[in-house]
C-alpha cells in the first residue's frame, strides 16, 4: 500500500520525510535495532578497545558496549515519532546487513539527523561517530540524544563549484591517490584537513555519506566527503575492505564523484538511491594518478 509523504525543510535546511502513517516503517526500524542488540548479545564477543579504537579523551573513555538504556532509547524514539529517516527500509537494510556481518565496528557517518539514533543503535558494542556541518544542530540533537558522538566540520566547498573541484583534483599533485593524506593537506581543496585527531587516528570499517547538504548551489555538497572517504579507505592498514555507502546517487554530483573516487569496479550493491562500495587498501603497485 502506498504511503503519502511530504517533504519539508526544517530550520537547518534538512529534508524531512513525515509519513502520515509511519507505524509500519517504525516497527521495521525497531525490529532492526532489537535484532542488532540480540546478535551482539548472543553471537559476538566484543573486540578489545586497543585493537579497534583511537586513543585519547572522551572517545577512548566511552564504554565499549552500549548500555541497554541506549538501545531502549532508540526503540522508544522510533516507536513514537512521526518523522522517519530519509533512507527507505530497503536502503537501511543494506548497511544493517554489513553491520551484522562485521560488527562491532568503527562506523563513520557524514551527517547528524533523524536517523542518527538508529545508526548508533545498529552498531552495538562498536564506535559510531557523526560528522555534521552545523554546530547548532549538533547542540540541538545532543540535547535529546546525549549518547551520540558528533564533530562539527567546516567544509571548504560549494556545490556550485563541483566541476571546478574535479579540474583542481586532476591538476593538483597533493590530491593524487598515491601521495595524498587528509591531515594537514591544505593544498588539495577536496581533502578534509580540519577533522579531529580521533577521525584521523581511527581506521573506519564503515563510512556512510548522507551529508553534507547538496541540493542548492551554496551548500557544501558531498564532493569533499566522497574524496576523503576514498582516501581513508585506501590508507587502511587493518585487514579487509572499507565499506562505503553513498546516498542520493540519483543526483549528478554524487554519481560523478562516486565514479571518479569510489570506483564502479568496487560497487557491490545498488538499492534505490544507495550505492555500497567495498574498497580495498592501496598497495605499493598502485601508483596511478587516478583513483579508478
Amino acid at each position: 500500500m502506498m504511503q503519502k509523504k511530504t517533504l519539508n525543510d526544517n530550520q537547518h535546511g534538512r529534508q524531512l520525510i513525515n509519513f502520515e502513517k509511519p507505524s509500519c516503517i517504525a516497527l521495521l526500524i525497531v525490529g532492526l535495532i532489537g535484532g542488532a542488540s540480540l546478535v551482539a548479545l548472543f553471537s559476538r564477543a566484543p573486540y578489545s578497545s586497543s585493537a579497534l579504537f583511537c586513543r585519547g579523551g572522551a572517545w577512548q573513555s566511552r564504554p565499549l558496549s552500549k548500555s541497554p538504556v541506549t538501545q531502549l532509547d532508540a526503540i522508544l524514539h522510533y516507536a513514537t515519532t512521526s518523522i522517519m529517516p530519509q533512507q527507505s527500509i530497503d536502503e537501511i537494510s543494506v548497511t544493517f546487513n554489513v553491520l551484522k556481518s562485521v560488527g562491532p565496528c568503527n562506523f563513520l557517518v557524514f551527517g547528524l539527523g533523524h536517523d542518527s539514533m538508529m545508526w548508533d543503535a545498529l552498531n552495538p558494542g562498536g564506535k559510531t561517530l557523526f560528522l555534521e556541518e552545523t554546530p547548532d544542530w549538533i547542540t540541538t540533537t545532543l540535547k535529546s540524544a546525549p549518547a551520540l558522538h558528533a564533530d562539527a566540520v567546516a567544509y571548504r566547498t560549494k556545490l556550485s563549484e563541483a566541476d571546478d573541484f574535479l579540474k583542481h583534483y586532476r591538476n593538483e599533485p597533493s590530491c593524487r591517490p598515491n601521495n595524498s593524506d587528509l591531515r594537514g593537506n591544505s593544498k588539495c581543496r577536496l581533502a578534509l584537513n580540519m577533522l579531529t585527531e580521533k577521525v584521523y587516528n581511527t581506521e573506519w570499517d564503515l563510512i556512510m555519506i548522507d551529508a553534507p547538504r547538496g541540493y542548492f548551489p551554496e551548500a557544501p555538497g558531498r564532493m569533499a566527503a566522497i574524496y576523503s572517504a576514498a582516501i581513508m579507505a585506501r590508507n587502511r592498514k587493518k585487514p579487509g575492505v572499507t565499506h562505503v555507502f553513498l546516498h542520493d546517487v540519483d543526483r549528478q554530483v554524487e554519481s560523478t564523484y562516486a565514479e571518479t573516487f569510489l570506483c564502479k569496479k568496487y560497487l557491490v550493491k545498488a538499492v534505490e538511491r544507495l550505492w555500497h562500495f567495498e574498497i580495498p587498501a592501496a598497495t605499493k603497485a598502485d601508483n596511478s594518478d587516478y583513483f579508478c
Side-chain angles (χ1 to χ4, degrees), residues 177 234 241-242 255 257-269 275-283 285-288 290-292:
R234 289 177 57 86
V241 299
T242 301
S255 61
Y257 271 72
E259 292 174 2
T260 302
F261 298 113
L262 303 179
C263 309
K264 271 296 187 71
K265 63 182 177 181
Y266 299 136
L267 178 64
V268 296
K269 196 156 192 175
W275 283 354
H276 170 205
F277 299 84
E278 293 182 358
I279 303 178
T283 66
D286 294 333
N287 56 4
S288 172
Y290 301 99
F291 285 76
C292 304

Side-chain angles (χ1 to χ4, degrees), residues 14 59 62 66 78 85-87 92 95-96 99 105-123 126-134 137-138 141 148-153 155 192 195-196 198-199 202-213 222 225-226 228-229 232 242-247 274:
R14 282 165 180 75
W59 183 249
R62 179 179 174 178
K66 293 179 176 62
Y78 291 108
Q86 279 186 249
Q87 294 188 30
I92 291 169
T95 307
F96 172 66
L99 284 167
C105 64
N106 294 332
F107 187 14
L108 183 66
V109 182
F110 284 87
L112 183 70
H114 299 282
D115 54 2
S116 297
M117 289 183 68
M118 176 189 68
W119 293 130
D120 191 53
L122 290 178
N123 187 26
K127 295 283 185 174
T128 305
L129 177 66
F130 300 90
L131 300 181
E132 168 58 36
E133 65 184 284
T134 310
W137 181 246
I138 294 178
T141 302
L148 300 180
H149 284 265
D151 284 349
V153 180
Y155 289 94
L192 292 178
L195 304 178
T196 58
K198 64 174 171 275
V199 179
T202 303
E203 293 213 342
W204 300 102
D205 304 298
L206 278 76
I207 302 175
M208 168 69 70
I209 306 172
D210 206 358
R213 293 170 295 174
R222 298 180 186 172
I226 293 170
S228 297
M232 292 178 189
T242 301
H243 298 269
V244 179
F245 304 89
L246 176 62
H247 197 226
L274 183 81

Side-chain angles (χ1 to χ4, degrees), residues 8 22 31 37 42 60 77 83 117 126 142 150 154 170 187 203 210 234 284 292:
N8 301 295
S37 302
F42 295 112
Q60 183 186 20
H77 171 77
I83 299 176
M117 289 183 68
L142 294 189
R170 295 186 181 103
K187 292 184 178 179
E203 293 213 342
D210 206 358
R234 289 177 57 86
K284 293 182 179 179
C292 304

